[in-house]
Amino acid sequence: MSETDADTQTRAWWTTSIIDMEPGRIAFRGENITDLIGNTSFAKMIWFMVAGTKPTPVQTSLLDAALVAGVDHGPQAPSIAAARMAATCGVGLNNAMATGVNMLGDVHGGAGEQCAELYYDIAARMDQGHGLDAATQAGLDAWRAEYGKIVSGFGHRFHKPTDPRAPRLLGLVREGVASGEVTGRFADIGEAVQARLSEERGGRALAMNIDGATAVIFCELGLPAPLSRGLFCLSRSVGILAHAWEQMGEGRRNKGPMPPALLPLYKPQAGEG
Amino acid sequence: MSETDADTQTRAWWTTSIIDMEPGRIAFRGENITDLIGNTSFAKMIWFMVAGTKPTPVQTSLLDAALVAGVDHGPQAPSIAAARMAATCGVGLNNAMATGVNMLGDVHGGAGEQCAELYYDIAARMDQGHGLDAATQAGLDAWRAEYGKIVSGFGHRFHKPTDPRAPRLLGLVREGVASGEVTGRFADIGEAVQARLSEERGGRALAMNIDGATAVIFCELGLPAPLSRGLFCLSRSVGILAHAWEQMGEGRRNKGPMPPALLPLYKPQAGEG
Amino acid sequence: MSETDADTQTRAWWTTSIIDMEPGRIAFRGENITDLIGNTSFAKMIWFMVAGTKPTPVQTSLLDAALVAGVDHGPQAPSIAAARMAATCGVGLNNAMATGVNMLGDVHGGAGEQCAELYYDIAARMDQGHGLDAATQAGLDAWRAEYGKIVSGFGHRFHKPTDPRAPRLLGLVREGVASGEVTGRFADIGEAVQARLSEERGGRALAMNIDGATAVIFCELGLPAPLSRGLFCLSRSVGILAHAWEQMGEGRRNKGPMPPALLPLYKPQAGEG
Amino acid sequence: MSETDADTQTRAWWTTSIIDMEPGRIAFRGENITDLIGNTSFAKMIWFMVAGTKPTPVQTSLLDAALVAGVDHGPQAPSIAAARMAATCGVGLNNAMATGVNMLGDVHGGAGEQCAELYYDIAARMDQGHGLDAATQAGLDAWRAEYGKIVSGFGHRFHKPTDPRAPRLLGLVREGVASGEVTGRFADIGEAVQARLSEERGGRALAMNIDGATAVIFCELGLPAPLSRGLFCLSRSVGILAHAWEQMGEGRRNKGPMPPALLPLYKPQAGEG
């Protein structure tokens, strides 16, 4: 079939810079897949696909660390619970995974994105000449004007006063600074935010949670804030898969949220007889 | 709150072997997350989470290779197209990703699972004393009796006669055999299936596609067949994210499947006026 | 833009018999939308869109009844629980609804489809001259050979020995028979299956559940078995929406499956330290 | 099992005012399901489930009309295209439906919600004593300050200058005013917004689209703005189902967005070799 202008217009509707193909050849962003397979770790490939550049060794390690850190927080997390329930309803493993990922919204998985916005804003204020403390205070004020009082990335219902993932991730950033491949400035900013929020509570320490800590890493890596959510989804997909798979092995059908002997309480609406 | 038997029954409803937590501590399958972060690549963590064991170096490399190989096949793939369209509809990046993963069903992403079943069945027949050719023929016959004539993992609409990913992946398996960490028997089985199917077509070579090639790897790694689909979903999630993200950058709203100037053809049903 | 053959080929890729449009005009299956709006109830429109014909008044009433009967079975149902959890995660109401509908799989929402297959098969056996009892027994045997011992559409964990929806729906079918618009033969078949299954249990009555009862109606209406699942999804979408909406009103964030004070039990895998 | 306080706490976690059950009995908002089945149309049941009250006859008719009007806009709509593609990927009909509904986000299906907010805000300004024109202008200004220049519910890429669904729906509202069950004030408001927006374009008429017209109805019915999106999802689910079902009948596998002979264009990123 010889190509017409109309064909080109249709093909142009789906233009991409990510992948190029002809029979027997697949290239991602200009590199043959046969050169990538076997020479590229999964984390490095993730970076290359979403950001279009190649990470340095320290950057790859930090991305690996962030992806490992976020894989799971157990069946109390709604995304994990839903994926486990889906796995008992007679759908495919892919559908169970999609069920979980679909729930990583602004509140459940999007917190990292909002936190990265805060960090980048504080950094921009420092670039304009403000000190860390002043920039942190101004950044927090601006962020809260948009998103409200509770700062995404800080505080944990369960892990008090420390979410164990945060100091470990920030430690890795500090170690990486010597290599010159990351600067550590976002580790400073993250800790300044944490310190400021703890001060507001009269000095009771407030945890930097997984969203706040991975946002430090994603900012150190120079990745755009909205990608934080996407990368978190890749990471959490692992836990979602592991739990859906474990659940499938139990052979249960139509698993509800609590033991079948317990029924939800019924509370008549105001005004009902 | 002191724990009652009723509480224990409710907690037992959500029993898991994957994760254990107390305030300030998270452990996956008995290992502290702080020991995993920084010491474990993402691919290795994926294996640990879903299979519950630690892979050897060659096993990790092969898993990395399979995960890299499957990341994307462009916007002609329905899952990628749908994710790109979703990204223009005013939903979160997680929702766009879930839209794509949800479509990796029995036909689109489940082929690897069915192919792994075939390979394991052929291997089991060989364990019972049959030779490779006889076991391949018997395995193919049994598989087709259940799933139909088209053998999952072989043939590609576009990459003819060779899908470039397959020989690269099988080459890595062959290289790994020297280490003793994999045996190469599933590379043999995969190639025997391919040869047999090409023979059936009068010698016209039939490609081993990405599902057939990654199934070789997953079988070499000893992973259960149904996990093939889950691992493929993790891999393809990367391409889904990359494409959704690229699409978001274009700022389009409600992207349809073809340029807006083109409308679907209307064909009245038989019997309509 | 004048239309080329290439354009036509692209447009043909999306050919449909459902909808036809030009600027200022929309027609469904040959009828102008302006004639349908205001003259067609929602249930009647559902039938017209999916089946392509217009139902009689009794048929419309029975479809209404089946759609009303299936709207909800409370938060113990995994689809409802997942939708409520999703509604607290910072996603749109549409995403919460999709989360629930996605879980109405072979076990949770597809039972009606399998049950309709059984009923149609029994009817076909009767058309070949077998009596109701013989056809029922033969149909059950054939069905179980494919799907296993537990017959979809019968038995209810909670509603024993009677699911109140079933006798009400079958009563409406019986009432409709007088009109000549339905025959009642599938009500007979459904009750014969129920009686046979109860006999197998030594006479302990086994409930016909919502899937079994709505399948009677869908068969009376002559709708293809796989549509049962789709129509059930439309019906249950109402409950999913109602619950997601109720949950949104509570203002909770990241609702898990049980009260936050309760953590899932951790059970080490066999072999772990 | 006798109930403990712990059990009650767990049950309370899933408290609802929608459904109440005991073995053999199901009640929605205080009414037995057996009284609802056979006496309640699907549209009326939808209202009862989501709003908790019973609609009058004119209200029911208007809800029916809005639900009928929104069922479908063909495969150019991303939600319909995605559902059709999903139906070819080896997933259940429920998964195909969820794929479509999941895409009815802020831009694709949420426009009605934003438009209802505008209408309610204009009405509130009129309640404070402003005339229709002044309230419309002030409402538009406030709305655009939040959502941007393009006013949800107005304008249509394809139906110019009139979306045929809008005048039909508004005509039904006008007819209903005589009954006293609706007031018609939101029809006035909708038309005032349309007139104002057309004026801004130098008098070129701007269509009120399906979102703008159904928002008139939902406001006339007194339903909260966010429910607009949920009700639209119920309506569009019908078209999604009809298209997924039609597609399944074609037997295609892995349908992409354009004919397989056409490949997406590849455009190297700036800076790539």
Side-chain angles (χ1 to χ4, degrees), chain D residues 200-222:
Chain D
E200 287 182 2
R201 296 152 44 98
R204 278 184 303 125
L206 184 71
M208 177 188 290
N209 62 34
I210 182 69
D211 300 307
T214 52
V216 164
I217 291 195
F218 296 140
C219 289
E220 290 284 344
L221 301 180

PDB file of all heavy atoms in Angstrom, chain D residues 200-222:
ATOM      1  N   GLU D 200     -20.106  37.037  23.417  1.00  0.00           N
ATOM      2  CA  GLU D 200     -18.659  37.222  23.504  1.00  0.00           C
ATOM      3  C   GLU D 200     -17.968  36.910  22.181  1.00  0.00           C
ATOM      4  O   GLU D 200     -16.876  37.388  21.915  1.00  0.00           O
ATOM      5  CB  GLU D 200     -18.049  36.297  24.560  1.00  0.00           C
ATOM      6  CG  GLU D 200     -18.338  36.690  25.977  1.00  0.00           C
ATOM      7  CD  GLU D 200     -17.648  35.738  26.960  1.00  0.00           C
ATOM      8  OE1 GLU D 200     -16.934  34.811  26.505  1.00  0.00           O
ATOM      9  OE2 GLU D 200     -17.834  35.913  28.163  1.00  0.00           O
ATOM     10  N   ARG D 201     -18.585  36.042  21.395  1.00  0.00           N
ATOM     11  CA  ARG D 201     -18.015  35.662  20.102  1.00  0.00           C
ATOM     12  C   ARG D 201     -18.585  36.521  18.975  1.00  0.00           C
ATOM     13  O   ARG D 201     -18.584  36.091  17.816  1.00  0.00           O
ATOM     14  CB  ARG D 201     -18.324  34.196  19.810  1.00  0.00           C
ATOM     15  CG  ARG D 201     -17.676  33.224  20.780  1.00  0.00           C
ATOM     16  CD  ARG D 201     -18.468  31.924  20.919  1.00  0.00           C
ATOM     17  NE  ARG D 201     -18.941  31.377  19.673  1.00  0.00           N
ATOM     18  CZ  ARG D 201     -18.351  30.397  18.973  1.00  0.00           C
ATOM     19  NH1 ARG D 201     -17.245  29.852  19.439  1.00  0.00           N
ATOM     20  NH2 ARG D 201     -18.867  29.945  17.848  1.00  0.00           N
ATOM     21  N   GLY D 202     -19.103  37.657  19.334  1.00  0.00           N
ATOM     22  CA  GLY D 202     -19.642  38.552  18.319  1.00  0.00           C
ATOM     23  C   GLY D 202     -20.944  38.040  17.735  1.00  0.00           C
ATOM     24  O   GLY D 202     -21.284  38.322  16.584  1.00  0.00           O
ATOM     25  N   GLY D 203     -21.663  37.251  18.528  1.00  0.00           N
ATOM     26  CA  GLY D 203     -22.977  36.814  18.093  1.00  0.00           C
ATOM     27  C   GLY D 203     -23.003  35.464  17.383  1.00  0.00           C
ATOM     28  O   GLY D 203     -24.070  34.965  17.049  1.00  0.00           O
ATOM     29  N   ARG D 204     -21.827  34.867  17.138  1.00  0.00           N
ATOM     30  CA  ARG D 204     -21.842  33.514  16.562  1.00  0.00           C
ATOM     31  C   ARG D 204     -22.332  32.556  17.645  1.00  0.00           C
ATOM     32  O   ARG D 204     -21.734  32.445  18.724  1.00  0.00           O
ATOM     33  CB  ARG D 204     -20.440  33.091  16.120  1.00  0.00           C
ATOM     34  CG  ARG D 204     -20.041  33.643  14.745  1.00  0.00           C
ATOM     35  CD  ARG D 204     -18.676  33.106  14.331  1.00  0.00           C
ATOM     36  NE  ARG D 204     -17.661  33.427  15.325  1.00  0.00           N
ATOM     37  CZ  ARG D 204     -16.861  32.537  15.918  1.00  0.00           C
ATOM     38  NH1 ARG D 204     -16.939  31.254  15.598  1.00  0.00           N
ATOM     39  NH2 ARG D 204     -15.979  32.918  16.813  1.00  0.00           N
ATOM     40  N   ALA D 205     -23.417  31.859  17.344  1.00  0.00           N
ATOM     41  CA  ALA D 205     -24.046  30.996  18.345  1.00  0.00           C
ATOM     42  C   ALA D 205     -23.077  29.911  18.803  1.00  0.00           C
ATOM     43  O   ALA D 205     -22.370  29.312  18.002  1.00  0.00           O
ATOM     44  CB  ALA D 205     -25.305  30.357  17.770  1.00  0.00           C
ATOM     45  N   LEU D 206     -23.045  29.690  20.104  1.00  0.00           N
ATOM     46  CA  LEU D 206     -22.225  28.637  20.691  1.00  0.00           C
ATOM     47  C   LEU D 206     -23.182  27.572  21.232  1.00  0.00           C
ATOM     48  O   LEU D 206     -24.114  27.880  21.974  1.00  0.00           O
ATOM     49  CB  LEU D 206     -21.385  29.221  21.831  1.00  0.00           C
ATOM     50  CG  LEU D 206     -20.397  28.262  22.486  1.00  0.00           C
ATOM     51  CD1 LEU D 206     -19.242  27.952  21.540  1.00  0.00           C
ATOM     52  CD2 LEU D 206     -19.854  28.858  23.774  1.00  0.00           C
ATOM     53  N   ALA D 207     -22.950  26.322  20.847  1.00  0.00           N
ATOM     54  CA  ALA D 207     -23.855  25.252  21.275  1.00  0.00           C
ATOM     55  C   ALA D 207     -23.818  25.051  22.781  1.00  0.00           C
ATOM     56  O   ALA D 207     -22.761  25.142  23.404  1.00  0.00           O
ATOM     57  CB  ALA D 207     -23.476  23.942  20.579  1.00  0.00           C
ATOM     58  N   MET D 208     -24.994  24.779  23.366  1.00  0.00           N
ATOM     59  CA  MET D 208     -25.025  24.165  24.691  1.00  0.00           C
ATOM     60  C   MET D 208     -24.868  22.665  24.429  1.00  0.00           C
ATOM     61  O   MET D 208     -25.643  22.080  23.664  1.00  0.00           O
ATOM     62  CB  MET D 208     -26.369  24.431  25.381  1.00  0.00           C
ATOM     63  CG  MET D 208     -26.480  23.754  26.739  1.00  0.00           C
ATOM     64  SD  MET D 208     -28.155  23.871  27.474  1.00  0.00           S
ATOM     65  CE  MET D 208     -28.250  25.606  27.881  1.00  0.00           C
ATOM     66  N   ASN D 209     -23.840  22.053  24.989  1.00  0.00           N
ATOM     67  CA  ASN D 209     -23.615  20.636  24.691  1.00  0.00           C
ATOM     68  C   ASN D 209     -24.326  19.722  25.705  1.00  0.00           C
ATOM     69  O   ASN D 209     -25.080  20.199  26.559  1.00  0.00           O
ATOM     70  CB  ASN D 209     -22.108  20.354  24.562  1.00  0.00           C
ATOM     71  CG  ASN D 209     -21.359  20.633  25.846  1.00  0.00           C
ATOM     72  OD1 ASN D 209     -21.878  20.442  26.938  1.00  0.00           O
ATOM     73  ND2 ASN D 209     -20.114  21.096  25.699  1.00  0.00           N
ATOM     74  N   ILE D 210     -24.067  18.437  25.585  1.00  0.00           N
ATOM     75  CA  ILE D 210     -24.797  17.473  26.422  1.00  0.00           C
ATOM     76  C   ILE D 210     -24.530  17.708  27.905  1.00  0.00           C
ATOM     77  O   ILE D 210     -25.428  17.542  28.747  1.00  0.00           O
ATOM     78  CB  ILE D 210     -24.437  16.027  26.005  1.00  0.00           C
ATOM     79  CG1 ILE D 210     -25.215  14.981  26.813  1.00  0.00           C
ATOM     80  CG2 ILE D 210     -22.940  15.757  26.149  1.00  0.00           C
ATOM     81  CD1 ILE D 210     -26.660  14.937  26.517  1.00  0.00           C
ATOM     82  N   ASP D 211     -23.318  18.123  28.243  1.00  0.00           N
ATOM     83  CA  ASP D 211     -23.008  18.384  29.644  1.00  0.00           C
ATOM     84  C   ASP D 211     -23.787  19.587  30.156  1.00  0.00           C
ATOM     85  O   ASP D 211     -24.305  19.580  31.270  1.00  0.00           O
ATOM     86  CB  ASP D 211     -21.508  18.619  29.808  1.00  0.00           C
ATOM     87  CG  ASP D 211     -20.689  17.427  29.363  1.00  0.00           C
ATOM     88  OD1 ASP D 211     -20.958  16.316  29.852  1.00  0.00           O
ATOM     89  OD2 ASP D 211     -19.802  17.597  28.503  1.00  0.00           O
ATOM     90  N   GLY D 212     -23.841  20.626  29.335  1.00  0.00           N
ATOM     91  CA  GLY D 212     -24.572  21.824  29.737  1.00  0.00           C
ATOM     92  C   GLY D 212     -26.069  21.561  29.853  1.00  0.00           C
ATOM     93  O   GLY D 212     -26.736  22.122  30.734  1.00  0.00           O
ATOM     94  N   ALA D 213     -26.603  20.730  28.971  1.00  0.00           N
ATOM     95  CA  ALA D 213     -28.044  20.466  28.977  1.00  0.00           C
ATOM     96  C   ALA D 213     -28.455  19.519  30.094  1.00  0.00           C
ATOM     97  O   ALA D 213     -29.464  19.732  30.766  1.00  0.00           O
ATOM     98  CB  ALA D 213     -28.456  19.897  27.618  1.00  0.00           C
ATOM     99  N   THR D 214     -27.661  18.476  30.318  1.00  0.00           N
ATOM    100  CA  THR D 214     -28.029  17.584  31.421  1.00  0.00           C
ATOM    101  C   THR D 214     -27.805  18.288  32.755  1.00  0.00           C
ATOM    102  O   THR D 214     -28.526  18.029  33.718  1.00  0.00           O
ATOM    103  CB  THR D 214     -27.235  16.261  31.366  1.00  0.00           C
ATOM    104  OG1 THR D 214     -25.841  16.547  31.273  1.00  0.00           O
ATOM    105  CG2 THR D 214     -27.654  15.422  30.167  1.00  0.00           C
ATOM    106  N   ALA D 215     -26.840  19.196  32.822  1.00  0.00           N
ATOM    107  CA  ALA D 215     -26.647  19.955  34.060  1.00  0.00           C
ATOM    108  C   ALA D 215     -27.890  20.788  34.366  1.00  0.00           C
ATOM    109  O   ALA D 215     -28.278  20.939  35.527  1.00  0.00           O
ATOM    110  CB  ALA D 215     -25.404  20.836  33.971  1.00  0.00           C
ATOM    111  N   VAL D 216     -28.535  21.348  33.332  1.00  0.00           N
ATOM    112  CA  VAL D 216     -29.804  22.052  33.552  1.00  0.00           C
ATOM    113  C   VAL D 216     -30.796  21.119  34.250  1.00  0.00           C
ATOM    114  O   VAL D 216     -31.429  21.479  35.248  1.00  0.00           O
ATOM    115  CB  VAL D 216     -30.402  22.545  32.215  1.00  0.00           C
ATOM    116  CG1 VAL D 216     -31.882  22.916  32.375  1.00  0.00           C
ATOM    117  CG2 VAL D 216     -29.614  23.752  31.681  1.00  0.00           C
ATOM    118  N   ILE D 217     -30.889  19.908  33.735  1.00  0.00           N
ATOM    119  CA  ILE D 217     -31.857  18.967  34.312  1.00  0.00           C
ATOM    120  C   ILE D 217     -31.472  18.577  35.736  1.00  0.00           C
ATOM    121  O   ILE D 217     -32.309  18.591  36.650  1.00  0.00           O
ATOM    122  CB  ILE D 217     -32.002  17.734  33.405  1.00  0.00           C
ATOM    123  CG1 ILE D 217     -32.704  18.188  32.105  1.00  0.00           C
ATOM    124  CG2 ILE D 217     -32.756  16.612  34.118  1.00  0.00           C
ATOM    125  CD1 ILE D 217     -33.245  17.088  31.261  1.00  0.00           C
ATOM    126  N   PHE D 218     -30.207  18.238  35.940  1.00  0.00           N
ATOM    127  CA  PHE D 218     -29.821  17.819  37.284  1.00  0.00           C
ATOM    128  C   PHE D 218     -30.038  18.950  38.289  1.00  0.00           C
ATOM    129  O   PHE D 218     -30.405  18.703  39.438  1.00  0.00           O
ATOM    130  CB  PHE D 218     -28.366  17.325  37.297  1.00  0.00           C
ATOM    131  CG  PHE D 218     -28.151  16.086  36.454  1.00  0.00           C
ATOM    132  CD1 PHE D 218     -27.009  15.929  35.674  1.00  0.00           C
ATOM    133  CD2 PHE D 218     -29.101  15.061  36.423  1.00  0.00           C
ATOM    134  CE1 PHE D 218     -26.810  14.792  34.888  1.00  0.00           C
ATOM    135  CE2 PHE D 218     -28.918  13.921  35.636  1.00  0.00           C
ATOM    136  CZ  PHE D 218     -27.779  13.792  34.867  1.00  0.00           C
ATOM    137  N   CYS D 219     -29.824  20.185  37.879  1.00  0.00           N
ATOM    138  CA  CYS D 219     -30.076  21.313  38.779  1.00  0.00           C
ATOM    139  C   CYS D 219     -31.582  21.495  39.006  1.00  0.00           C
ATOM    140  O   CYS D 219     -32.017  21.754  40.135  1.00  0.00           O
ATOM    141  CB  CYS D 219     -29.464  22.595  38.227  1.00  0.00           C
ATOM    142  SG  CYS D 219     -27.656  22.640  38.274  1.00  0.00           S
ATOM    143  N   GLU D 220     -32.378  21.373  37.967  1.00  0.00           N
ATOM    144  CA  GLU D 220     -33.836  21.428  38.135  1.00  0.00           C
ATOM    145  C   GLU D 220     -34.303  20.363  39.135  1.00  0.00           C
ATOM    146  O   GLU D 220     -35.258  20.559  39.880  1.00  0.00           O
ATOM    147  CB  GLU D 220     -34.547  21.197  36.791  1.00  0.00           C
ATOM    148  CG  GLU D 220     -34.414  22.335  35.789  1.00  0.00           C
ATOM    149  CD  GLU D 220     -35.302  23.534  36.130  1.00  0.00           C
ATOM    150  OE1 GLU D 220     -36.238  23.403  36.943  1.00  0.00           O
ATOM    151  OE2 GLU D 220     -35.030  24.640  35.595  1.00  0.00           O
ATOM    152  N   LEU D 221     -33.612  19.221  39.125  1.00  0.00           N
ATOM    153  CA  LEU D 221     -33.993  18.119  40.018  1.00  0.00           C
ATOM    154  C   LEU D 221     -33.403  18.286  41.409  1.00  0.00           C
ATOM    155  O   LEU D 221     -33.692  17.488  42.313  1.00  0.00           O
ATOM    156  CB  LEU D 221     -33.543  16.781  39.416  1.00  0.00           C
ATOM    157  CG  LEU D 221     -34.128  16.459  38.031  1.00  0.00           C
ATOM    158  CD1 LEU D 221     -33.602  15.109  37.529  1.00  0.00           C
ATOM    159  CD2 LEU D 221     -35.661  16.445  38.060  1.00  0.00           C
ATOM    160  N   GLY D 222     -32.586  19.328  41.586  1.00  0.00           N
ATOM    161  CA  GLY D 222     -32.030  19.591  42.913  1.00  0.00           C
ATOM    162  C   GLY D 222     -30.929  18.633  43.332  1.00  0.00           C
ATOM    163  O   GLY D 222     -30.612  18.525  44.514  1.00  0.00           O
TER     164      GLY D 222
END
